[in-house]
Amino acid sequence: MGVYDILDELQRKAKKDAFLRKRLLDTRQAEQPLSEFCRVCRELGYELYEMELVNAGEEFYASMRRSTNGGGENSPMLEGEDDFYELFFASIESAGEE
């Protein structure tokens, strides 16, 4: 299972399970939030590590830049860029407001 698949599955579960959502959101209060988030993911059975998460976002953004206007210097900046981690939290935070 890839990083995107892990985050997608966790996102769906967290939207339905308030306890899981709180547990994941609470990782942001840790001294090292990204490390704590990945530790909790592994505890839940998802093999996710910090560099995998960071690299997945960067690789996705780089491929998007290459696909727009030839990927050269003049390629437009893309909204949201490469932060799967922040996008994940934005999604589950909004689920708690519904």
Side-chain angles (χ1 to χ4, degrees), residues 28-81:
R28 296 192 312 171
Q29 305 306 314
E31 188 173 318
Q32 296 182 351
L34 182 60
S35 295
E36 181 64 12
F37 173 74
C38 290
R39 186 193 65 73
V40 168
C41 289
R42 289 189 303 273
E43 193 176 289
L44 294 169
Y46 298 97
E47 286 297 313
L48 184 64
Y49 296 90
E50 294 90 331
M51 287 311 298
E52 290 176 328
L53 184 52
V54 170
N55 285 338
E58 289 177 359
E59 288 172 8
F60 179 79
Y61 181 66
S63 76
M64 290 297 291
R65 291 262 328 205
R66 284 190 302 273
S67 72
T68 58
N69 201 20
E73 228 175 81
N74 296 324
S75 291
M77 293 298 292
L78 301 171
E79 291 296 319
E81 295 186 12

